[in-house]
Amino acid sequence: MIPDYAQPFFYQVPWRSASVHTGEHLGIQRGPGDEFSKHVSLVDYPDARRVDLRQTLRDPYEQIQVRVFKQEASSPLYAVCDLSSSMQFQGQVSKLDTVKAVAASIACSAHENSDLFGMVSYDHSVIPHLSLSAGHHAHQSFATIAEIGDFRSTRRDGSGIVEAAGLLGQQKGLVFWISDFHLPLSLIEHGLNLMANHQMIPIVLWDPLEYQRLPRFGFGNLQDPETGQQKTIFFRQSIRAQFVEMFEQRKQALDQLFARFDIRPLYVDGRFDSALLSDYFEQLIH
C-alpha cells in the first residue's frame, strides 16, 4: 500500500537508456516501440510483421526489408539518504520525516513509470537495513522507507557517502542525494566525483529554526549535532545576524561547488512538497 506521504512528481530522463527492460524513456535497444530506427534485411531481423513493401521494392539487392524500431526503456532512480547526526534535527518538521517523504515520493514516481528504485542510507557508514538494491520491489521500498523516521544516530558524521556511492549501479540513473549538506565541502566534492556517472539532484534540507528563529536575547545552549559538543552562547541581535550570514555563505559555497559539476540543487526549507521536484524538472527541460 502506498503511504499518504508518497506524492508522485513529474520527471524526465534526458539521455537514452541502455536498459533492455521496457519503460517510459527513450532507449537504444531495438524492439517494440514507436520510434523508427532504420531498415534492415529480413535475414538480419526476422520479424515478418515489420516488412516494408515499399522499401523492399526499392532495394537494389532485392532483399526483403523490415522496419526496426527502438523500444522505450526503463531507468534507475536512487535515493541516497544522509542519516548522520545533524539529520536528527527537529525543527518545524523532523528532517528524518522529510527524508522519508522525499524517498517515498521518488519510489512512488519510479514505480508509476515502470522504472527501478534503489536506496542507500548512510551515516558514518552504509546502513544495510535501510538500503535497497535497484528493482521493482514497491512494497519492500515503502516498508523500508517507513523505518527511516525511527532511526537514531548520535555523534556520527556523514563520511559514509564514500561507501554509499560505490553501491550505486553502473547503469546511468537519476540520483537524489538527500542531505542537509553540513559536511566538509571536500567530502561533498569527493562524493560528487564518485557519482559522476549519474545525473545528480542534490536535495538540501534546511529548517528555519536552524538559523533564523534563534533566541532574541539571553543565554542559550547550542549543540554540534555531528560531534555532540555543547556551547553556551549569549544571544543578541548581532549573534543572530552572524548565524544568518553563515548560512548564506554556506549556500553560496554549495552553489559554487554544484555549479562546477553543472548541477542545480533543490533547497527545501521545512516541509517537502513533491511539486517542488516537478517544477525542478520542468525548469531543466526549458
Side-chain angles (χ1 to χ4, degrees):
M1 183 176 179
I2 300 177
D4 294 337
Y5 52 81
Q7 308 170 3
F9 56 87
F10 162 81
Y11 67 93
Q12 191 172 47
V13 172
W15 65 87
R16 288 187 175 274
S17 173
S19 174
V20 297
H21 301 290
T22 58
E24 303 292 333
H25 312 293
L26 295 177
I28 63 173
Q29 305 291 342
R30 66 186 186 183
D34 298 325
E35 184 186 7
F36 175 76
S37 176
K38 60 183 177 180
H39 286 99
V40 298
S41 71
L42 183 62
V43 174
D44 294 330
Y45 192 63
D47 185 352
R49 298 171 300 174
R50 301 288 188 176
V51 170
D52 188 331
L53 294 177
R54 180 175 297 180
Q55 188 66 25
T56 298
L57 294 173
R58 293 175 176 174
D59 184 56
Y61 301 102
E62 298 182 349
Q63 292 184 336
I64 299 176
Q65 297 291 305
V66 296
R67 293 184 295 270
V68 176
F69 293 82
K70 290 181 179 178
Q71 73 175 15
E72 294 178 329
S74 63
S75 184
L77 275 66
Y78 293 96
V80 177
C81 305
D82 178 3
L83 304 184
S84 62
S85 299
S86 65
M87 294 294 289
Q88 315 293 315
F89 184 82
Q90 173 71 53
Q92 290 182 335
V93 293
S94 164
K95 281 188 180 181
L96 291 184
D97 284 343
T98 304
V99 173
K100 184 172 69 173
V102 176
S105 295
I106 297 168
C108 181
S109 301
H111 296 315
E112 283 196 354
N113 288 278
S114 301
D115 284 330
L116 288 75
F117 171 76
M119 182 170 73
V120 184
S121 299
Y122 68 93
D123 50 16
H124 186 69
S125 58
V126 167
I127 307 166
H129 74 280
L130 295 179
S131 301
L132 295 165
S133 58
H136 294 290
H137 33 60
H139 177 76
Q140 185 181 4
S141 296
F142 294 124
T144 304
I145 291 169
E147 298 180 32
I148 289 178
D150 298 324
F151 181 76
R152 293 295 176 266
S153 175
T154 58
R155 303 189 182 186
R156 306 271 294 179
D157 62 26
S159 57
I161 183 58
V162 176
E163 182 185 358
L167 296 181
L168 301 180
Q170 294 298 313
Q171 182 184 345
K172 185 174 184 178
L174 294 174
V175 175
F176 300 80
W177 188 358
I178 312 167
S179 173
D180 55 15
F181 290 90
H182 292 332
L183 304 168
L185 291 177
S186 58
L187 181 58
I188 298 174
E189 182 177 4
H190 188 35
L192 292 174
N193 279 318
L194 292 174
M195 296 183 282
N197 182 52
H198 303 278
Q199 178 169 337
M200 299 296 303
I201 301 97
I203 301 180
V204 186
L205 306 186
W206 286 354
D207 193 286
L209 290 180
E210 287 186 276
Y211 61 101
Q212 291 180 343
R213 300 179 183 178
L214 299 172
R216 293 184 177 276
F217 189 81
F219 287 100
N221 293 324
L222 290 180
Q223 182 179 24
D224 186 328
E226 299 289 354
T227 65
Q229 295 180 346
Q230 287 195 355
K231 292 183 179 180
T232 300
I233 297 179
F234 184 77
F235 283 95
R236 53 191 184 276
Q237 186 60 37
S238 60
I239 297 296
R240 284 166 53 90
Q242 287 180 26
F243 272 90
V244 174
E245 183 179 0
M246 286 171 56
F247 267 77
E248 286 296 328
Q249 292 176 351
R250 180 66 175 183
K251 183 177 185 299
Q252 292 178 11
L254 287 174
D255 288 343
Q256 291 174 1
L257 175 57
F258 292 137
R260 285 167 48 195
F261 289 83
D262 196 22
I263 294 172
R264 187 168 63 85
L266 174 63
Y267 288 88
V268 178
D269 294 320
R271 194 172 301 277
F272 169 73
D273 188 326
S274 63
L276 293 172
L277 277 171
S278 295
D279 293 342
Y280 178 94
F281 281 98
E282 288 281 3
Q283 293 176 22
L284 284 184
I285 295 172
H286 303 295

